[in-house]
Amino acid sequence: MTLRFVGIDPNTGGGGSPTVWVEEESADLVLQGPEAEEVLRALVGETQWVAGHAVGIPPHETVIRIPARMISILREACDVAEQRARLR
């Protein structure tokens, strides 16, 4: 597995902070960020967002929060992933 670093929260203080990579082989986005607070997890987990789709957050998934100031980094990551996917 090879990760291509795309960007980190520009307001990072040197500790853990939201970060975005693209996994080279699959072209998947890989995100690190603070786990969503309980009220946000409840909203996500208790709402049926798509008719007929199961409600809840599966045990193998989580909800993270990525700050709006990272939108340009996410766009770049999407471009990198899209280009990478074309090469497969």
Side-chain angles (χ1 to χ4, degrees), residues 56-85:
I57 302 167
H60 65 281
E61 296 182 0
T62 191
V63 177
I64 63 170
R65 182 184 287 274
I66 299 293
R69 63 184 168 266
M70 292 185 67
I71 289 173
S72 64
I73 294 168
L74 287 172
R75 281 192 186 112
E76 180 183 348
C78 289
D79 290 344
V80 168
E82 186 175 50
Q83 291 167 0
R84 188 72 197 151

Side-chain angles (χ1 to χ4, degrees), residues 29-57:
L29 296 180
V30 178
L31 306 174
Q32 173 187 321
E35 190 171 341
E37 61 274 12
E38 184 60 37
V39 67
L40 182 55
R41 285 195 313 270
L43 174 63
V44 170
E46 295 169 2
T47 304
Q48 186 178 41
W49 298 100
V50 177
H53 192 275
V55 174
I57 302 167

